[in-house]
Structure formats: C-alpha cells, structure tokens
Amino acid sequence: MTTAPGAEDATADAGHQEQVAGAGADRPIVLVVDDDPRRRSLVASLLDPHCTVLVGHDGADALEVVGRHAVDVLVLGSTRSGLLTELRARPASAAVPAILLTCRAEEDAVLQGLQSGVDDLLSVPSSAHGVLTGLRSALDVARSDHLDRAWRSAVLAASQEGCCVVDGARGAIVSANAAATDLLGLQPEDLPFGPPLPFLPAAEEDPEGSAMVESAWTRASTEERGRAVVPLRHATTRARIWVSISYIALPDRSRGGRSYLATLHDVTAARRATERDALLARAAALLTEPGPLTERLRQLIPIIARVLGGRVAVELRGPDGRSAPVAAAPVDRQAGNGNRQDGDDLVVPLVGTDRVLGTLRFAGLDFATTSDTGPAEGSRADVDVAELLARRIAAAVDADRVAERAARLHEVTTALASAGTLIETARALVDGVQRALATSTATVYALDPDGVHLHLVHRDGEGTASGEPVLRVDGPGAVARAASGHGPVWPPTSTGPVAAIPLTVGERVVGVLAVERSGSGHLLPDERELAAMLAGQAAQAFERAALADQRWQLARALQRALLPSSLPAFAQLALAAHYEPAQREFEAGGDWYDVFALGPARVALVVGDVVGQGPTAAAVMGQLRSVVSAYLHDGHSPAQALEGLDRTARRIPGARGSTALCLIVDTDSGDVAWSAAGHLPPLLAGPDGTRFAHGGEGALLGVSGRAPYCEGHETVVAGTTIALYTDGLVERRGQVVDDGLQRFAAVAERGHQRPSGELLDLLLAEVLGSDTGDDVALVLARLVPRPLERSLDADPLLLPGLRHDVHAWAVTAGMSEDGADDLQLALSEAVTNCVEHAYAGGTGEIRCRVHRTADGAVEASVQDFGAWRPPPADPGYRGRGLAVIHTLAEHVELHPTSQGTTIVFRVPATTEPLAQRTPGSGAPQWWTRQETPGPGTVPGC
C-alpha cells in the first residue's frame, strides 16, 4: 500500500494506532519506526493483514509506544539516532527482535547493520511476498515469546508463593506475581523493574546485608539452580526483611542468554526469632561477666542495634537524679530512606529493686514488616525483647551497685583500720563517702572532751553550708542535732547537708559525719544505709585514733623532755641536729643525743642507741643521758664517762646492749677526744679530707668481761665538720653496713663546705632517704676559724687581697655563698670609706676584724686613725658606701673619736631556707630539727 505524504500519511498512521484497541490477544504487535512516510506506509500495509501494526515517525514516538504496549517485533528504518540502543536499555523492549529496513543489498551494508545490534535486515523496495517472508521468522519468534510470557504470567499468578522472572544479564525483574510485589513493596503497574532495584540494601545503609546480596548474586550467575537467604529492604518502609530465594535458570531464546525463575519466601519472622534468642543469650553472658559494667554495656548495645535495628542507647541515673548516657550504638540514616522520625520510638525504663535506674532507648526501630503497615506480631516481639533486655540490664546495674558499694565499704574499712590518727581517720572516711555516694562535700567533726563543742577535723568539697571550725552541740543545724543524740538526720531541704550521721560507740557520740550533694541530691534508702554503715565503721576507728592521739601526745612530751630542748650557741662551733623516730605508730624512740659546754672552749657531744623502741626504750635512754652528762660535767674524760655509764647500765633493766659515743672538742686548739661503747665511729669532713676517726672503740654497755674503754685523739682544722650519728642513718635491711658508711662519707665529702644546716639536709636526703625503719639521731659540729684580723695601708689597690682573705675565712666558717658575698662587699665599702674620708688620698693605717658571734652571725669592724671630712652637699655618683652597708648588713654603727673612726656591722647567719623533709608516710610530725638560733636550735652558718 502506498500513501502520499502529508495528511494522508497522518490519517493512515492514526488508523493503525486505533487497531491496537481491538487487536486479538493472539496477534503479534509490530512497531514500525521510519521517518520515510512512503516506506513506513508500504511496510504497514503489507503487515496489516497478519499482525497488529503500530507506527512511529521518530524515536520519541517509538519510546512512547513501547512504554504503553507490549511490542513483539521492531521494524526500524534507521539506527543512526541511537534509538535501538535506548530501546535495548529498557526492560520492556530489551529482548524484542529488531529488523532494519535498508535500500542497499551490498555486503558492507549488511555488515554495518548487524554491527548496530539488529537481528535481521530487509531490502526495500521489495515484493510484498519478500517482505512478509523476511518478517516471518521474526514474527514466529515474537509469537513464541508472546505465548511464553502468557504462560509464565499464568504460572506466576497461580502460585501462592512470591514468584518472579529475572533477566540474568541485566538483573531486571521482567515479571512478578502479587505475592512477590507485596513482599518486596513494589507496585505491579511498575513492571518490569530495572536496576537499581529499590529493595536491595544500600552499602551505606546496611553494609553487611549489601555484601550478602552481592555474594548470592555472584554465586547464582554461575549456577543452574540454587537457594540463598538474604536480607532485603521493603521498598516502601525500608524495614529489613529476610527472604529465602530458590531459583532455576531458564533459556532465553530471543536473546540467546538466560533468565531466572525465582521463588521468594518470607523467613523474616523465623530469622528474627533466632536472632532475638541469640541476642538474649549473648546479653545474659555479657551482663554476668566480670569487669566494669560500662564496658560490658558498650559491648552489648551494638549487638542490640544490629538485631533490632535503629539507634540504641542506655542512660543511667546518677546520685543527683540526672540521667547520662553510658553506652550507645548510633546508626546513620539518610534523609528520605524511611518514614521514621528522629525521636525515640521506644523508651523502656530500667527498674531496679527500689527505684528507676535509667532507661533503654530505641530510635528508628527496624520492626519486621511485609507491608506498609507491617504485622503487629513482629513489632510486639521486638518490644518484648526490648523489655526483657531492660529487665536484665536493670538487674545487672543493681548487682553492680551492690558489688560496688561492698567494695567501697571494704576499702573504707581497710583505710580506717590502717589510720593511726584522728586526721587520717577523718580523711579515710571522707574519701570513702565521696567515692561511694558521689557527694559534693563531706565533713567530719569530732566531739570535744567537754561534750559541748564539735571541732572540724577534715572537710573536702565545695559546699558552703557546713564546715564551720567549731559548733556547739546545743546549736542549730543538722550537725548539732545529730551530735545531741537525735540519731541520723536527713534534712528535707536541697541546700546544706543532706545527711548528718552521728559517729557512735555504744551510746556515746564521738563525732558527726555531714554530707552535701549538688543538685536535687537527696540520699536514697540504700544510700542512707551505706552512709550509716560507713559512719559505724568510722566510729570505732575514731575511738582507736583518739587513744592513739593521746599516746602520741604522751610520747611527744616524753621525747621532748628527754632530748635537748635547745642546743647551746658557741662562737667557734656551728651546730645542727636532727632526730627522727622510726616509722611506727607515734612511739618515742631509743636513740638520743646531747650537746653541752664543759668550759669556755670545751664542748661535749654525745649520741646513744638504746635497744628497742617505745616508752620503755625512751625511759632507759633518759636515764643513760643523765648519767653520762653528769660524769662529763664532773670533769671525767670520755672513756671514764663510759665506764661510769656501763656500771649504771648493768643496774637498769633494758639498758644492757645499748651503745654510746662521747666526744669532747676544744674549739681553741681543735683537739678532739672520743670513746665509743659499741657505737659507730665519728665522721670528720673538712679541708684536709673526709675520714672516719679511728681508735676509742669499746664493747656494748653492760657486757661482762669486756676490756676497759679507751679513747681516740685527733686535731682538726677550722672548717672541719664532726658528725655523730646512730646506726639508723646508715644501716639498711639486706645491705652491708659498710655500704651505708661509704655512702655517708661520700655525701659528706661532696658537701663539707656547705653550711651545717645545708649539709644536714643533704645527708638526710641522700643517705637516709625515705627509709626510716629505725630511729635516727644525727649531730653535726663545724669548727669555725679564729677571728680574721688584718692591718693594711690606706691604699685601694690592697682591697683585692683583703677580699680574698675574707672569702677564704667565710668558706671555712661555713657561710653560705650569699652570706660570703654580702660580707665581702660590705667590708670593701667600709674600707673604701675609710680610705676616702679619713685620709683623702694620703697615707694611714686601717685595721679590719671579722669574727663569728655565738648566735651564728658574723661581725666585722673597720677602724681608721684619721679625721673624716664632712660629706659634700651633692655627692653625685659617689658617697653611697654607708647606704650599701646598711642594705647588706644589720646593726650598722659608726663610732667617731678624736683618734679615728670605727665602723661596726653584722652579717646575719644567712643560709638558704631549708626544705622540711617528710620523714615517711607513717612517721609523726614531731621529729626534731635543730639548726638556726632559737629554742631548740643552734647557729647554722
């Protein structure tokens, strides 16, 4: 049939389009697409008696027709527009046979057409018989495919299970029954479905599920049949569904590939039931494992989130009533992926034995669903699991709370048992209460012996309502009420103490524990019970500590009475002493020392060590100290004094086996005599070296059959330090005593030029350290040089020599570097003043004298024999000497006479402030430290 172009073509094409509505189901549908109206009309007329013909002017018409009708054969006039490529990309037309109309029959034209992707070529113009013959094979294939699709549709529709046909090459769903579309959340009118398929889990949404689907598809592409269970997502609700897919490969005759017939079975309920059971079993195991509860919850919550989906968090309430998250497993959601809101879908309280402990919160719950609404059974099962998990977590929190409080109670009980003083007991109680009850402030008061006042022992925290140093028992407030016999007080107000608990022993109140807590902060019943238990334990420790404090007071008084309250001051001897008891419970020790004058230039130094420790040893020590002092004051030598001490020791119980060392030093001559009864030798450290004194060794006191005590003698030079000590300084358990002695001598050698106090600190730090397992007594006596006297001409060029002599004298005298510098500068200024004011450039004599006073200061005097000129009205840059001396020295005096002028000044005993050593974690704080002038001290420069 030939049709002229123009309106006739349009009318003819419209007639062919209208035939589709009345076409029989057994007539194949052929789409003819050609922009040549004559050829299009010719082909349509030839095919019209045998099939239903649809025509298209161009690619847009063709795509519209394919979208509305199931085309069996495509007849194309050209492939240049890319229409065939786009039709192959659509699932509805991907497998439809395509025939290309061509006007050339040459071989190259045929090859070019086949390369474009068509299935056959027809040469036009041709006879009607030729065209029909050429199309017959394509129509046969189309009719067969048409029947196959009809058969498959009938089979799929008849199946009760979800069934679908999948294009194996593209992964598109060609057809599916209602059960399959309902399961996957698809709309039947949208068939066929091409990639991307909306029910597949995205990698960012469900990495594990996406990997499982990818693995199953890879395996299916190489198998003829098989089965896989994969997690999918409902296309509408995005809920996770587990689907069991059984598939078998079908040959695709039209494309030469394969398709798959798949049967879909929803196994979500069974799968989630298994997962829920496994989740509950894993939760039970995790929650009963040892270790911190928060760590166990942080392991459990991600498991819950993987099984139930969405975001899961556990919040626990603190003592202040506020909830705080302790574990969470967030799951990022892309906007628009589901219809869940950001709020919590489910909040389950964690109910303990006596209160709500916190919440288990779910957001974006992934309930099992197979439709837009989803069955109530899956949601109910998830809620049931969530509630059961909440009960198990609450039980674990309760058990952890009980275990934690038991541990805290044990810690506090242990700390209280080891506390030796009232302050240590209070600190242990406050620390334990704050950790166990999370209080902001805890305060401990002790009841005074008068029964009327409470004094603050220890307080820690930032509260403001408690902490007054002294309270009256009959005063206002919760603390006073608790102390007056009203029992524990639990104030209802949110400000001030939330608890005031009396510390009672029997019926007696010995103190009060006051507790504050920030926020709402009231103590819950179980917390009140724990606080009362802690207070009960502390009360017993308070009584023990009070008795220990009394013993400490007695021991301190005894020790102070037995040791020198102060050391004498000597101009030629710089002394420093230290006593430290062993690290025991505030016991007086058996080590002792004494220093006293025997004459104008003779000084006695004595140390001793009584066997044992405590009051008995201290009493023995006091008697021995008195005896040896009496013998030495009577004029006996050190050996004779020890002979008398030995006779006394035989009569005093507990004195046998004690040691003692007597030493007498002549400060004028430097002669030293000593005798030892089983004691370690004195150490001599000075300009001529460091050594232990030899000779004068004797047996322990009270030993029968011993040899007579003998003496050792030596002469020391100025600047030598004599060290007397007890064995606690150098002996260490597991070490040879010689090692300690060598260490002692090495440190003394290194620091012998330091002032006595600094040397004492150095020895205690590096020799004693923190190991005070035994009593320690240490006495240092530094022989100070004789006064420095110089007479020189009034010549400024002689000042360097004078400064050199003064510095050497200051070092020998044990002055500090600062003190020596001050002395040199002040003395130089005084001499310069004499040169300029008394002699005005002439000749004359200047006399200088430097000596150490008994209080440890250094006094200097500069005398001239001239007449001082009046100072000028404007001294300019000169004339500042006296001002400098006033700055560096003290007690500056100017004595003018007719024979001359004398400048006198003092440089104080300046040493660096001595750091107070802590004698050990358990040692009392009343150890003796004597070095600077004053009560219990001795000059230390």
Side-chain angles (χ1 to χ4, degrees):
M1 179 178 67
T2 304
T3 305
E8 297 83 355
D9 296 336
T11 302
D13 291 344
H16 289 300
Q17 302 285 16
E18 293 171 358
Q19 294 177 10
V20 178
D26 58 344
R27 286 171 61 88
I29 298 176
V30 178
L31 173 60
V32 179
V33 184
D34 196 345
D35 55 4
D36 184 346
R38 293 181 180 276
R39 189 168 53 188
R40 185 175 65 242
S41 298
L42 173 62
V43 174
S45 299
L46 291 174
L47 297 177
D48 189 60
H50 307 284
C51 56
T52 300
V53 179
L54 302 177
V55 296
H57 300 79
D58 51 26
D61 287 346
L63 294 175
E64 181 182 359
V65 172
V66 170
R68 291 188 289 109
H69 304 287
V71 177
D72 296 299
V73 179
L74 294 173
V75 178
L76 306 177
S78 172
T79 61
R80 290 191 301 273
S81 64
L83 173 61
L84 183 59
T85 301
E86 190 164 354
L87 289 173
R88 289 292 188 231
R90 293 194 172 195
S93 56
V96 176
I99 299 175
L100 177 64
L101 301 177
T102 179
C103 297
R104 298 181 298 165
E106 293 83 0
E107 182 178 350
D108 59 339
V110 174
L111 179 60
Q112 183 179 0
L114 293 175
Q115 288 177 344
S116 67
V118 299
D119 298 285
D120 202 355
L121 289 90
L122 286 179
S123 179
V124 179
S126 178
S127 65
H129 177 74
V131 173
L132 292 175
T133 301
L135 291 173
R136 183 170 291 119
S137 62
L139 293 173
D140 289 343
V141 172
R143 184 176 291 106
S144 177
D145 289 345
H146 182 78
L147 293 176
D148 284 347
R149 285 198 299 270
W151 176 79
R152 290 175 183 175
S153 298
V155 171
L156 294 179
S159 175
Q160 298 298 318
E161 298 287 344
C163 295
C164 64
V165 176
V166 181
D167 183 353
R170 295 172 41 78
I173 296 181
V174 178
S175 59
N177 64 358
T181 57
D182 288 345
L183 174 63
L184 300 177
L186 305 176
Q187 300 300 323
E189 58 269 21
D190 294 336
L191 287 169
F193 291 101
L197 299 176
F199 52 81
L200 296 181
E204 61 275 10
E205 178 185 39
D206 185 0
E208 183 181 2
S210 177
M212 293 178 65
V213 171
E214 183 70 24
S215 174
W217 178 256
T218 302
R219 188 173 68 254
S221 64
T222 62
E223 298 176 345
E224 292 294 328
R225 64 177 63 216
R227 178 178 179 275
V229 178
V230 294
L232 304 178
R233 292 281 173 171
H234 193 276
T236 303
T237 65
R238 302 308 299 164
R240 177 186 255 197
I241 52 177
W242 285 89
V243 180
S244 174
I245 303 175
S246 299
Y247 54 87
I248 185 171
L250 301 174
D252 189 343
R253 290 174 295 177
S254 64
R255 303 298 300 160
R258 68 164 69 180
S259 297
Y260 293 91
L261 175 62
T263 302
L264 312 179
H265 180 61
D266 185 0
V267 295
T268 303
R271 180 82 180 203
R272 290 179 70 85
T274 302
E275 289 180 341
R276 286 191 289 264
D277 291 342
L279 170 61
L280 294 175
R282 182 59 178 150
L286 271 176
L287 293 174
T288 54
E289 287 181 356
L293 178 63
T294 54
E295 293 299 325
R296 289 178 278 155
L297 289 175
R298 287 169 186 160
Q299 297 179 47
L300 175 61
I301 295 305
I303 300 175
I304 298 176
R306 284 198 298 270
V307 175
L308 299 185
R311 298 178 299 278
V312 186
V314 170
E315 295 181 352
L316 297 182
R317 284 188 181 178
D320 58 359
R322 300 175 182 175
S323 295
V326 296
V331 177
D332 295 331
R333 300 278 186 167
Q334 292 183 348
N337 271 2
N339 57 7
R340 303 292 184 192
Q341 302 300 318
D342 290 337
D344 292 326
D345 293 329
L346 181 63
V347 179
V348 187
L350 306 178
V351 182
T353 55
D354 56 356
R355 69 178 188 268
V356 175
L357 305 173
T359 54
L360 179 61
R361 312 179 75 91
F362 298 86
L365 278 179
D366 199 10
F367 290 138
T369 182
T370 55
S371 67
D372 289 345
T373 59
E377 299 80 22
S379 301
R380 184 66 254 175
D382 286 344
V383 172
D384 290 343
V385 170
E387 292 176 346
L388 184 55
L389 287 170
R391 288 196 294 271
R392 292 186 177 180
I393 293 175
V397 173
D398 257 339
D400 186 73
R401 184 179 58 177
V402 171
E404 177 71 14
R405 289 178 180 169
R408 294 298 183 198
L409 182 61
H410 176 71
E411 291 176 1
V412 175
T413 302
T414 303
L416 291 172
S418 61
T421 64
L422 204 60
I423 183 64
E424 290 179 354
T425 303
R427 285 174 180 167
L429 176 59
V430 166
D431 181 64
V433 167
Q434 288 191 311
R435 288 190 296 169
L437 302 178
T439 61
S440 59
T441 305
T443 309
V444 175
Y445 287 90
L447 185 64
D448 287 345
D450 60 10
V452 177
H453 296 89
L454 292 162
H455 72 270
L456 178 66
V457 180
H458 182 63
R459 179 173 180 268
D460 189 18
E462 301 297 329
T464 58
S466 62
E468 293 82 357
V470 179
L471 296 175
R472 289 186 61 89
V473 174
D474 55 358
V479 175
R481 289 177 56 199
S484 60
H486 290 83
V489 179
W490 317 103
T493 178
S494 60
T495 59
V498 296
I501 308 170
L503 308 179
T504 59
V505 178
E507 300 297 328
R508 294 182 297 106
V509 175
V510 297
V512 177
L513 168 66
V515 173
E516 295 181 46
R517 178 180 279 176
S518 59
S520 59
H522 294 295
L523 295 183
L524 297 171
D526 62 327
E527 293 176 323
R528 294 182 177 183
E529 180 182 356
L530 178 60
M533 293 174 64
L534 292 174
Q537 293 291 333
Q540 301 291 334
F542 253 55
E543 188 171 49
R544 293 194 302 269
L547 294 175
D549 282 353
Q550 293 177 7
R551 292 195 301 269
W552 169 61
Q553 295 287 350
L554 292 174
R556 181 172 63 173
L558 175 61
Q559 197 76 40
R560 286 180 173 176
L562 296 177
L563 291 176
S565 59
S566 64
L567 295 177
F570 304 103
Q572 300 302 115
L573 205 62
L575 300 174
H578 175 87
Y579 170 78
E580 185 173 331
Q583 294 184 14
R584 298 180 186 271
E585 194 172 299
F586 306 106
E587 292 180 349
D591 289 13
W592 54 280
Y593 68 90
D594 204 355
V595 180
F596 47 88
L598 297 177
R602 298 178 72 241
V603 179
L605 293 85
V606 185
V607 293
D609 186 356
V610 175
V611 177
Q613 292 169 339
T616 302
V620 174
M621 174 263 287
Q623 297 179 70
L624 296 182
R625 174 173 172 263
S626 299
V627 170
V628 73
S629 176
Y631 275 106
L632 291 174
H633 274 100
D634 285 346
H636 292 87
S637 67
Q640 293 170 344
L642 289 185
E643 290 290 349
L645 186 63
D646 179 76
R647 292 191 295 270
T648 303
R650 296 173 184 270
R651 300 193 306 269
I652 299 176
R656 289 178 179 268
S658 300
T659 69
L661 172 64
C662 295
L663 182 144
I664 298 176
V665 57
D666 189 316
T667 59
D668 286 341
S669 63
D671 293 337
V672 179
W674 69 91
S675 181
H679 205 87
L680 294 171
L683 177 71
L684 307 177
D688 54 353
T690 300
R691 61 203 181 277
F692 289 100
H694 295 290
E697 297 88 354
L700 299 170
L701 296 175
V703 175
S704 302
R706 63 169 177 81
Y709 290 113
C710 60
E711 293 182 1
H713 296 272
E714 190 162 337
T715 300
V716 298
V717 298
T720 300
T721 296
I722 305 169
L724 279 64
Y725 53 95
T726 57
D727 57 3
L729 180 68
V730 295
E731 283 188 347
R732 295 293 178 273
R733 184 172 309 214
Q735 296 182 11
V736 179
V737 68
D738 289 348
D739 295 339
L741 291 171
Q742 291 177 6
R743 183 169 59 251
F744 180 36
V747 176
E749 168 68 21
R750 191 170 70 249
H752 78 274
Q753 289 187 334
R754 298 189 181 190
S756 300
E758 291 186 12
L759 178 58
L760 185 73
D761 268 353
L762 182 66
L763 292 170
L764 293 175
E766 298 194 16
V767 180
L768 179 61
S770 60
D771 186 358
T772 52
D774 194 5
D775 300 340
V776 175
L778 175 61
V779 179
L780 301 182
R782 185 190 190 98
L783 187 63
V784 177
R786 293 176 177 276
L788 174 67
E789 296 180 349
R790 290 289 184 271
S791 177
L792 64 156
D793 294 335
D795 185 355
L797 297 178
L798 299 179
L799 283 177
L802 176 63
R803 284 196 294 266
H804 178 272
D805 292 345
V806 171
H807 183 268
W809 183 93
V811 170
T812 306
M815 292 188 71
S816 67
E817 285 295 327
D818 290 343
D821 291 343
D822 291 348
L823 177 62
Q824 289 183 81
L825 182 56
L827 193 66
S828 295
E829 290 294 335
V831 172
T832 301
N833 274 351
C834 292
V835 172
E836 294 187 356
H837 294 292
Y839 300 110
T843 60
E845 180 187 7
I846 297 176
R847 294 178 182 177
C848 302
R849 188 176 192 272
V850 179
H851 69 281
R852 184 179 183 276
T853 63
D855 62 0
V858 174
E859 185 174 281
S861 64
V862 178
Q863 182 182 13
D864 65 69
F865 301 93
W868 281 42
R869 295 177 301 162
D874 182 11
Y877 293 103
R878 302 175 59 80
R880 311 290 182 183
L882 288 177
V884 172
I885 297 173
H886 276 282
T887 301
L888 299 174
E890 60 185 14
H891 303 299
V892 181
E893 299 176 358
L894 190 65
H895 301 286
T897 67
S898 59
Q899 288 79 28
T901 302
T902 303
I903 302 175
V904 181
F905 59 86
R906 288 162 52 95
V907 176
T910 54
T911 60
E912 294 290 334
L914 299 175
Q916 294 293 318
R917 318 183 32 258
T918 300
S921 59
Q925 300 300 311
W926 48 270
W927 51 277
T928 303
R929 160 71 162 165
Q930 301 185 356
E931 190 269 329
T932 56
T937 60
V938 60
C941 59

